Amino acid sequence: MKLLKLVPDNTNIGFVKLRHWAFALTALLTVLAVGATFYKGLNLGVDFVGGLMIEAKFETPPQTDKVRTVIDRLGVGDGSLQQFGDPKTVQIRLPLPEQGGAGAANAIVEKARKAMTAEFPGVTFSRYDTVSGKVSGELIQNGVLAVMLAVIGIAIFSWFRYEWQFGVSTFVAIMHDVLMTLGFFAITQLEFDLNIVAAVLTIVGYSINDKMVIDDRIRENMRKYRKMDMKSLIDLSVNETLPRTVMTSVTVLLALGALLLLGGHVLRGFTAAMMLGIIVGTYSSVYVSSSLLISLGLSPATAEKKASKVNIAAQAERMGPRDDGARP
Amino acid sequence: MLNFPRWAVVAILLPLLIGIACAVPSFLPDTVVGQLPKFMQTRVNLGLDLSGGSHLLLEASTQDVAKQRIANMEEQVRTELRRGDTKIAIGDISSRDGKLSFMVRNPSQVDAAVERIRPLTQGAGLTGQRDFNVEVVNSSTIVITPTKAGIDNAVKGAMEVATEVIRKRIDEMGTREPTIQQQGDNRIVVQVPGLQDPRALKDLLGQTAKLEFKLVDVNANPAEVAQGRAPVGSEVLPYPTNPAGPPVIAVYRQVMVSGEDLTDAQQGYNQQGNEPIVNIRFNGAGGRKFGQVTSQNVNRPFAIILDGKVLSAPNINEPILGGSAQISGSFTVESANQLAIALRSGKLPVALTVVEERTVGPQLGADSIRAGLLASVIAVAAVAAFMFMSYGRFGMYANLAVAINVLVILGVMGILGATLTLPGIAGFVLTIGTAVDANVLIYERIREERRRGRGVVQAIEHGYKEASRTIFEANVTHAIAGGIMLALGSGPVKGFAIVLLIGIATSVFTAVTFTRLLVSRWVRAKRPTEIHI
């Protein structure tokens, strides 16, 4: 049987040469994403803005206008409707009453239920969330804090583990991934809720994974080919790891694709965010973070200094019988 | 590197087998699992988004606690100063600005008044910390100010009690496995699976529980009482912890004193200081009523009843005057403390408001499980086919590792009693994708080493060795992200992080160690000179 190879053997693509184009494109896309986030804003779910959300499932796909009229007639404030992939399911969002606490929220839900049942017999209410302004403020704070801590924590890890250039390049690439994801949510206006924060953190984790693998190879090659100049060394490392980068991204995308198509509407935004993040993360691993090392002035000398200081044992092992010049 | 001694094989396979065994109960129906011994009931809990149910976050107002505390103190001061031979007349009582102040009418009694109030302001613990400061202003006004520690203690106590009250009330609903947890300083999380309509739950949490004191009808015929029949004017009440045998007891219908008249209950020790007891304290009216009834019924038992159930039925050894009493019995510190909490939980000690509520209908939950399962199966199948097409025999080893990994994750979740949520399923699917990554790293490395002209065994050894370091580093960073999610995330984010973290730990083991075992056995058995990878 002939085995599948997505990336041919011994590729030799000059990624480093492309870096100025890549940087320009990356900067442009990032600016666009940030601009979209500020200009269009995120469609924040009740988790983050507070309020009341009712999910109604109809027997037949309802006319959205009619549902809107019913909700408007209730006179409980500005409602908004949202439809998912499933045309029978509609999400209704209402502001939380300012006074009266739980009782008042209950009353609104009750009113909405009655009116909807009268207008659309057979409708069921499959989910509802109420989040007070105070809690939503805390949730948003924790979400932002979690993402920031993750990015900074990982950057510090790669700084201590390798050289500071690795820390900075990873940090830049990951911020890019996060901002692109935000931009995607601003443009598509998909609902941004707590689950999406988990998705963003996962993207951060995955993207780091990717960059670590390449960084690790760069470091290995820096010790192996002491005389090679940085540009060809990085190209070599990225090319050597390219089959793995592509294979893994494809497998993860396959798994997520199944989830996107079949996983039900609740997870759709979550999965979409992750798929985008994987693609963006792979791009930034290959084109941005490793090439950035050159711009940051990484040289074999700096690496050797650190390596001999930190990791003498590992180096000694490498001096052993293994033939370093095996590559033709 | 490819040699595995027998003990190593056992050390690799044993934890995997245990993990798989622990995953099995999650697939069995409830009735079967119920018959298993306790340590084998390692099932994954379904989160509310999968099982359907309600999640409520309740918040207590700290100011409310402080206010009530002042009001209680006022009541106690009134009772205390009115008691005994020398009554001390007071006036101008006010409890503004979080302080209690009053004037002693006869200035010569000020010192005596302070002396008598002092014991009331002592904290309940043995630390000697004061809950209130007592000051004399303008030589005739006494000001009582709660200390910071006092308020903190009060809030802590109030939350403990509120949690207990809520737990009792939810148990009354007969719901399956509710989760009630205190969160932070002044919040309580309530999760009730399978509950469709949280209105009932919210109504219940607003209800006041009823505490009553009644005399035990000692003349009732025990045989009739056991059958639920009581003499006229009496009633049979359940008494689950009755030391005298049957879990019922007959009491007179007339209420001696009710829970409204109780101001406090604390676990303490008797005068000898060795036997745990419960100290209860009544307000003025309650104390008088209690004194009267106990004077007339010395040597007879009375029953302490909560929500129609008798908690205990101590004997009245002597008239109990002065508004406070001790309940002795064969308590341990724990059971006395429990009784104290139960007595205090006559009513919610503080108003609770719902600040967050999430309800998922059972239908949606079932749909989500079905969709999640289907997606997982398809994902596994797609990834497995892809791995086989790319790496042949080695791909199948990786697939076997992934299949085992999925089961082991479920097993570990079962052991930890972790909860599987909808984002958790997404975590699963993602873990399947990334678990394969470790194998991809190894196999690509082996391919590379082969291209560089290394022999089969050397290439495999080198591939595993070099890739392992990368895998370790990559997974550490991944775990950092997961750990932060677990620490800071709430609800769905946490559910996702749990699966992710367990998956990271198990996948390194299955994808690296386990496949290495498989590969080494194959290589040693066949001694291939060429590998298809």
Side-chain angles (χ1 to χ4, degrees), chain B residues 186-428:
Chain B
N186 62 338
R187 285 182 179 169
I188 298 171
V189 181
V190 177
Q191 293 189 325
V192 188
L195 189 75
Q196 285 191 51
D197 193 349
R199 276 174 307 169
L201 179 66
K202 284 194 276 182
D203 286 347
L204 190 80
L205 296 186
Q207 246 173 45
T208 328
K210 215 160 89 188
L211 181 70
E212 292 163 310
F213 293 83
K214 294 179 178 180
L215 284 170
V216 175
D217 186 354
V218 284
N219 298 318
N221 181 341
E224 284 192 359
V225 170
Q227 282 170 16
R229 283 196 303 271
V232 179
S234 294
E235 63 188 329
V236 175
L237 292 179
Y239 184 10
T241 56
N242 189 356
V248 287
I249 193 169
V251 299
Y252 290 108
R253 282 185 192 278
Q254 200 202 350
V255 179
M256 275 164 58
V257 193
S258 77
E260 268 90 274
D261 293 328
L262 201 70
T263 55
D264 201 5
Q266 293 287 341
Q267 188 260 321
Y269 291 93
N270 68 356
Q271 259 114 30
Q272 286 76 41
N274 48 15
E275 198 188 332
I277 52 155
V278 179
N279 288 315
I280 53 174
R281 208 198 298 271
F282 293 98
N283 62 13
R288 270 195 303 281
K289 267 192 278 176
F290 200 69
Q292 227 170 31
V293 181
T294 50
S295 310
Q296 291 158 7
N297 294 288
V298 173
N299 281 332
R300 295 171 66 186
F302 70 100
I304 303 166
I305 303 153
L306 183 74
D307 289 335
K309 269 189 208 155
V310 178
L311 288 176
S312 76
N315 222 41
I316 302 169
N317 294 326
E318 57 195 35
I320 301 162
L321 308 166
S324 59
Q326 299 182 340
I327 304 175
S328 57
S330 46
F331 291 124
T332 60
V333 174
E334 267 159 42
S335 68
N337 201 25
Q338 268 170 13
L339 180 59
I341 291 176
L343 286 178
R344 276 175 291 168
S345 74
K347 52 184 198 263
L348 278 172
V350 58
L352 295 171
T353 46
V354 179
V355 287
E356 188 186 350
E357 174 186 351
R358 294 168 196 278
T359 298
V360 172
Q363 189 55 47
L364 181 63
D367 286 350
S368 296
I369 292 181
R370 205 172 316 120
L373 270 182
L374 182 66
S376 306
V377 169
I378 301 284
V380 171
V383 170
F386 185 60
M387 284 300 283
F388 177 67
M389 287 192 300
S390 301
Y391 300 115
R393 166 185 293 276
F394 289 83
M396 287 320 282
Y397 289 155
N399 291 339
L400 186 59
V402 166
I404 290 176
N405 188 28
V406 168
L407 290 175
V408 171
I409 294 175
L410 277 177
V412 173
M413 288 182 76
I415 294 170
L416 296 178
T419 304
L420 182 66
T421 59
L422 192 53
I425 292 184
F428 244 103

Side-chain angles (χ1 to χ4, degrees), chain B residues 96-111:
Chain B
R96 265 176 308 211
D97 307 327
K99 294 175 184 176
L100 175 67
S101 71
F102 56 87
M103 201 191 79
V104 179
R105 296 230 186 262
N106 180 352
S108 68
Q109 283 182 315
V110 168
D111 288 345

Side-chain angles (χ1 to χ4, degrees), chain A residues 170-316:
Chain A
T170 336
F171 179 79
V172 169
I174 286 174
M175 283 313 287
H176 156 261
D177 301 343
V178 171
L179 292 173
M180 291 296 279
T181 314
L182 285 185
F184 169 75
F185 274 88
I187 289 164
T188 55
Q189 288 291 299
L190 280 169
E191 189 174 288
F192 196 92
D193 59 17
L194 258 187
N195 287 344
I196 307 302
V197 174
V200 170
L201 282 167
T202 311
I203 292 167
V204 171
Y206 176 87
S207 178
I208 281 296
N209 213 28
D210 231 23
K211 287 159 189 62
M212 279 291 147
V213 170
I214 298 178
D215 287 355
D216 195 60
R217 183 57 72 100
I218 293 175
R219 219 168 51 127
E220 188 188 326
N221 284 341
M222 277 165 78
R223 283 197 304 254
K224 219 185 236 176
Y225 310 110
R226 306 244 162 106
K227 299 278 147 60
M228 196 184 277
D229 79 309
M230 231 26 225
K231 281 180 192 165
S232 20
L233 194 133
I234 287 176
D235 266 344
L236 172 69
S237 308
V238 175
N239 275 297
E240 276 179 352
T241 47
L242 196 59
R244 174 266 160 193
T245 309
V246 174
M247 269 298 292
T248 298
S249 296
V250 170
T251 34
V252 174
L253 287 176
L254 271 179
L256 287 174
L259 203 61
L260 184 73
L261 295 177
L262 306 164
H265 68 265
V266 184
L267 280 182
R268 198 147 290 158
F270 181 82
T271 323
M274 290 222 275
M275 290 185 86
L276 179 95
I278 304 275
I279 294 166
V280 173
T282 307
Y283 161 80
S284 69
S285 301
V286 172
Y287 287 93
V288 182
S289 69
S290 34
S291 305
L292 201 58
L293 290 172
I294 292 178
S295 311
L296 290 171
L298 182 72
S299 69
T302 57
E304 204 172 322
K305 218 170 78 202
K306 180 130 182 176
S308 62
K309 214 164 56 193
V310 178
N311 216 348
I312 296 164
Q315 242 193 348

Side-chain angles (χ1 to χ4, degrees), chain A:
Chain A
M1 193 185 87
K2 175 111 178 61
L3 293 180
L4 182 72
K5 273 188 188 164
L6 292 180
V7 178
D9 290 345
N10 297 323
T11 51
N12 189 14
I13 306 169
F15 292 109
V16 173
K17 216 167 24 189
L18 294 171
R19 73 181 188 280
H20 295 298
W21 292 105
F23 289 165
L25 179 70
T26 310
L28 182 70
L29 286 177
T30 310
V31 167
L32 281 180
V34 173
T37 312
F38 275 105
Y39 182 68
K40 289 192 81 172
L42 293 169
N43 175 14
L44 293 173
V46 288
D47 291 345
F48 295 137
V49 290
L52 205 155
M53 190 278 289
I54 310 173
E55 194 180 294
K57 192 165 184 186
F58 297 84
E59 287 198 316
T60 51
Q63 287 171 297
T64 324
D65 287 350
K66 216 169 138 193
V67 180
R68 198 183 303 276
T69 327
V70 174
I71 294 298
D72 285 347
R73 261 204 316 249
L74 293 173
V76 288
D78 262 346
S80 71
L81 298 185
Q82 205 160 36
Q83 225 161 352
F84 293 105
D86 175 10
K88 286 185 205 161
T89 305
V90 177
Q91 217 187 54
I92 303 158
R93 264 168 63 181
L94 292 165
L96 213 56
E98 275 167 31
Q99 280 158 2
N106 264 357
I108 291 182
V109 171
E110 204 40 41
K111 247 169 139 178
R113 272 179 190 231
K114 274 211 185 94
M116 297 282 283
T117 319
E119 197 73 27
F120 308 95
V123 65
T124 51
F125 300 89
S126 41
R127 187 157 77 108
Y128 77 88
D129 292 354
T130 311
V131 182
S132 78
K134 196 173 162 198
V135 171
S136 66
E138 288 167 24
L139 289 176
I140 212 165
Q141 208 181 325
N142 276 351
V144 172
L145 190 65
V147 174
M148 290 314 293
L149 277 183
V151 174
I152 292 171
I154 288 164
I156 289 177
F157 175 82
S158 49
W159 171 30
F160 280 129
R161 196 88 180 86
Y162 308 136
E163 289 75 37
W164 66 269
Q165 285 93 342
F166 287 101
V168 172
S169 75
T170 336
F171 179 79
V172 169
I174 286 174
M175 283 313 287
H176 156 261
D177 301 343
V178 171
L179 292 173
M180 291 296 279
T181 314
L182 285 185
F184 169 75
F185 274 88
I187 289 164
T188 55
Q189 288 291 299
L190 280 169
E191 189 174 288
F192 196 92
D193 59 17
L194 258 187
N195 287 344
I196 307 302
V197 174
V200 170
L201 282 167
T202 311
I203 292 167
V204 171
Y206 176 87
S207 178
I208 281 296
N209 213 28
D210 231 23
K211 287 159 189 62
M212 279 291 147
V213 170
I214 298 178
D215 287 355
D216 195 60
R217 183 57 72 100
I218 293 175
R219 219 168 51 127
E220 188 188 326
N221 284 341
M222 277 165 78
R223 283 197 304 254
K224 219 185 236 176
Y225 310 110
R226 306 244 162 106
K227 299 278 147 60
M228 196 184 277
D229 79 309
M230 231 26 225
K231 281 180 192 165
S232 20
L233 194 133
I234 287 176
D235 266 344
L236 172 69
S237 308
V238 175
N239 275 297
E240 276 179 352
T241 47
L242 196 59
R244 174 266 160 193
T245 309
V246 174
M247 269 298 292
T248 298
S249 296
V250 170
T251 34
V252 174
L253 287 176
L254 271 179
L256 287 174
L259 203 61
L260 184 73
L261 295 177
L262 306 164
H265 68 265
V266 184
L267 280 182
R268 198 147 290 158
F270 181 82
T271 323
M274 290 222 275
M275 290 185 86
L276 179 95
I278 304 275
I279 294 166
V280 173
T282 307
Y283 161 80
S284 69
S285 301
V286 172
Y287 287 93
V288 182
S289 69
S290 34
S291 305
L292 201 58
L293 290 172
I294 292 178
S295 311
L296 290 171
L298 182 72
S299 69
T302 57
E304 204 172 322
K305 218 170 78 202
K306 180 130 182 176
S308 62
K309 214 164 56 193
V310 178
N311 216 348
I312 296 164
Q315 242 193 348
E317 185 190 18
R318 226 159 275 283
M319 301 292 194
R322 224 163 278 133
D323 46 346
D324 276 345
R327 182 168 244 276

Side-chain angles (χ1 to χ4, degrees), chain B residues 48-69:
Chain B
L48 290 180
D49 48 359
L50 295 177
S51 65
S54 272
H55 161 108
L56 296 178
L57 183 63
L58 307 164
E59 191 178 79
S61 134
T62 355
Q63 283 173 332
D64 205 37
V65 177
K67 218 186 259 171
Q68 273 186 38
R69 210 167 147 68

